[in-house]
Amino acid sequence: MNKDSKKLLVVEDDPGLQKQLRWSFDNCEVIVASDRESALAQVRRHEPAVVTMDLGLPPDPDGASEGLATLQQILALTPDIKVIVLTGNQNRANALKAIDLGAYDFHQKPFDASVLNLIVDRAFYLHQLQRENRKLLQSCSASPISDFITGDPNMIKICQQIERVASSDVTVTLLGESGTGKEVLAKALHQLSNRKKKRLIAVNCAAIPETLLEAELFGYEKGAFTGAAKQTPGKIELAQEGTFFLDEVGDLPLSLQAKLLRFLQERVIERVGGREEIPMDVRIVCATHRDLRAMIGSGTFREDLYYRLCEISIPIPALRDRVGDAILLAHHFKNQFYAKEKRQSLNFSQDALDAIDSHHWPGNVREIENCIKRAVIMAEGPQITAEDLGLQPANVSSQPATLREARDKVECETLVKALARVDGNIARAAELLGVTRPTLYDLMNRHGLK
């Protein structure tokens, strides 16, 4: 980190100490403030990474009330800032209180320049490390789709499929549990398509009563029914030249499935109470958490409509089936919410990470988002615990094994399977594994196999 990027704010009302601190940090761009108002102004203007601050600020130079209030307001403005409190021996209790409020560290007066330099350098390093980590978490999604956070190889392949089919007008149906991100992927299909400059209109079939759904989809003419005071276009018509997203299509009543099928086949609609056929140019995207094939078998979903809707069907895996995504999303939502709540920097404890990794997450992404939001609000200290998350601590730590442990485990399993396949015949097992008999004996001895 060069001098230009190392901005240090010195909050000190004593001009002599201001000069001394300037001299002590000639490798930094030092900004000075002497009271709360000027300190907050400098934070807004320069956004320093590190602050050294005397708690005895005017109008309370002999106490700590003004300094503690300034500390709280600085952290509210920029939660990631590292504040180092400078205090006398007699004010140790106030220094500890400042730490409790979110200060990074404290150093006693009169200060030792070399020790204080070490503390400040460490604060700069930590600030830069946390910033880079946050950027990494935001960008570590290998997904080609913005706003969709994943590191799971299978989910990345699905995102790449979405990217490939987006440019065509083929009808796509997204299948998966509620909360897995189907709506985000539907929006991505629109944004990556040639229709992105037109509207994306969404209708949730499960949220609209059956008696109103037809009028909502196809529109109605004036006088078509009681209360139809004027001609009203439907949602499909509003999506002209854009994308129409039919969410929870598995909840579409049978009475409307035939009319939707005609629209998909002919690409024309008729408003309720109307006789005019209106040609439509829209791209259709559907989503459902239901098993449409099972519904066909039970007679609650038309088979011909299924084949029209599922020209391309893409199953979206549940969060529990995505390797590493639960913790990745937890970090993302934590960073998002602690900034909104103006909390100081928060991290997950090891028991929290284990609990997140081992939890089943039946509500998928929506559940983990709500869980992290609650934890950010409820956490009392600088760490979020499993208790803050409202999750049961994991029985066994889910911390990743070392590469050696992982390799040994796979190696042992492979040996056992090979020996079982050939009924213990060493020569055949060695041939199967592509090693010599002495090598196989060595491997068996290493893993305690007989």
Side-chain angles (χ1 to χ4, degrees):
M1 187 181 286
N2 58 37
K3 178 177 178 178
D4 292 335
S5 63
K6 291 176 69 173
K7 291 185 178 181
L8 172 68
L9 172 61
V10 172
V11 185
E12 174 61 64
D13 63 330
D14 185 328
L17 283 174
Q18 286 181 1
K19 289 181 180 179
Q20 190 178 354
L21 286 163
R22 274 187 185 276
W23 295 334
S24 298
F25 299 105
D26 57 355
N27 62 331
C28 302
E29 179 186 345
V30 179
I31 307 140
V32 176
S34 56
D35 55 27
R36 189 202 308 198
E37 186 176 347
S38 61
L40 294 173
Q42 297 286 38
V43 168
R44 291 189 184 96
R45 180 181 176 186
H46 295 283
E47 297 182 349
V50 180
V51 176
T52 65
M53 187 174 72
D54 181 14
L55 291 180
L57 297 176
D60 184 21
D62 297 324
S65 59
E66 187 68 9
L68 293 173
T70 305
L71 169 66
Q72 287 179 290
Q73 287 188 262
I74 287 174
L75 291 173
L77 279 175
T78 51
D80 288 341
I81 203 167
K82 305 302 174 191
V83 181
I84 300 163
V85 171
L86 301 180
T87 180
N89 290 327
Q90 69 278 14
N91 291 328
R92 184 179 177 84
N94 288 326
L96 294 174
K97 188 174 182 181
I99 296 292
D100 191 49
L101 290 173
Y104 166 69
D105 206 343
F106 70 92
H107 187 58
Q108 293 179 346
K109 290 182 179 179
F111 65 85
D112 182 321
S114 59
V115 174
L116 186 57
N117 257 291
L118 185 63
I119 295 172
V120 168
D121 284 344
R122 188 175 60 188
F124 273 117
Y125 175 74
L126 181 60
H127 183 272
Q128 185 183 26
L129 198 65
Q130 289 177 338
R131 184 174 60 181
E132 289 174 354
N133 183 51
R134 191 160 51 252
K135 286 181 180 178
L136 180 64
L137 287 169
Q138 289 170 352
S139 63
C140 68
S141 165
S143 163
I145 296 174
S146 60
D147 299 329
F148 200 94
I149 296 170
T150 184
D152 176 63
N154 291 331
M155 197 65 235
I156 290 168
K157 288 180 182 177
I158 288 169
C159 291
Q160 291 168 346
Q161 290 175 14
I162 295 287
E163 191 178 33
R164 283 197 295 272
V165 303
S167 58
S168 73
D169 277 342
V170 66
T171 301
V172 177
T173 296
L174 305 170
L175 306 169
E177 296 178 10
S178 295
T180 51
K182 298 190 295 295
E183 186 174 352
V184 175
L185 294 174
K187 289 177 180 177
L189 277 167
H190 176 70
Q191 288 299 322
L192 294 169
S193 74
N194 300 325
R195 299 174 180 268
K196 63 183 179 182
K197 294 182 179 178
K198 299 296 182 178
R199 298 179 70 182
L200 168 67
I201 302 294
V203 169
N204 189 320
C205 298
I208 302 171
E210 182 176 345
T211 53
L212 301 178
L213 188 55
E214 182 179 8
E216 188 76 10
L217 291 175
F218 300 101
Y220 54 87
E221 298 289 350
K222 180 179 179 180
F225 49 82
T226 303
K230 62 178 181 178
Q231 184 188 78
T232 303
K235 292 294 181 69
I236 296 175
E237 198 172 342
L238 292 175
Q240 182 75 296
E241 297 183 353
T243 303
F244 180 62
F245 176 42
L246 200 57
D247 199 7
E248 297 301 349
V249 69
D251 291 278
L252 191 70
L254 268 172
S255 57
L256 281 180
Q257 291 180 24
K259 190 166 184 178
L260 180 64
L261 178 64
R262 180 174 182 271
F263 157 64
L264 291 170
Q265 290 173 332
E266 307 296 334
R267 295 292 166 161
V268 295
I269 62 167
E270 288 181 14
R271 299 191 189 107
V272 177
R275 296 292 182 267
E276 178 188 358
E277 290 187 342
I278 305 169
M280 298 301 306
D281 174 23
V282 294
R283 200 280 178 75
I284 307 298
V285 179
C286 302
T288 183
H289 71 282
R290 295 186 180 276
D291 185 342
L292 296 183
R293 288 189 176 276
M295 292 179 69
I296 292 170
S298 63
T300 55
F301 200 85
R302 294 178 62 113
E303 187 173 12
D304 46 4
L305 178 59
Y306 171 83
Y307 290 115
R308 282 289 177 182
L309 292 177
C310 296
E311 290 180 334
I312 291 182
S313 60
I314 301 177
I316 312 301
L319 181 57
R320 60 184 170 274
D321 297 324
R322 303 181 198 172
V323 178
D325 273 11
I327 290 179
L328 193 64
L329 285 163
H331 281 295
H332 168 75
F333 289 128
K334 182 259 295 179
N335 291 336
Q336 184 183 90
F337 290 132
Y338 93 70
K340 284 184 180 179
E341 296 294 330
K342 296 182 178 179
R343 290 289 307 270
Q344 64 189 62
S345 182
L346 282 172
N347 295 300
F348 290 108
S349 64
Q350 187 58 53
D351 73 317
L353 292 173
D354 291 341
I356 290 168
D357 200 40
S358 63
H359 188 61
H360 193 60
W361 299 114
N364 294 294
V365 180
R366 288 197 191 101
E367 182 185 0
I368 198 168
E369 181 179 6
N370 291 339
C371 180
I372 301 302
K373 185 175 185 178
R374 181 181 64 248
V376 168
I377 295 170
M378 298 302 293
E380 295 180 359
Q383 281 198 326
I384 293 174
T385 65
E387 185 178 356
D388 295 324
L389 292 165
L391 302 177
Q392 290 294 325
N395 292 328
V396 180
S397 173
S398 56
Q399 188 170 355
T402 64
L403 285 175
R404 180 179 292 277
E405 290 171 342
R407 185 182 63 192
D408 287 347
K409 180 180 178 183
V410 173
E411 192 173 71
C412 183
E413 289 176 354
T414 304
L415 288 171
V416 170
K417 288 179 181 178
L419 289 165
R421 184 179 289 270
V422 297
D423 197 23
N425 187 305
I426 298 297
R428 290 179 61 196
E431 183 181 348
L432 189 64
L433 293 170
V435 296
T436 63
R437 288 178 63 182
T439 300
L440 180 57
Y441 278 119
D442 287 343
L443 290 171
M444 291 172 63
N445 288 332
R446 184 196 305 171
H447 294 289
L449 300 176
K450 295 182 180 180

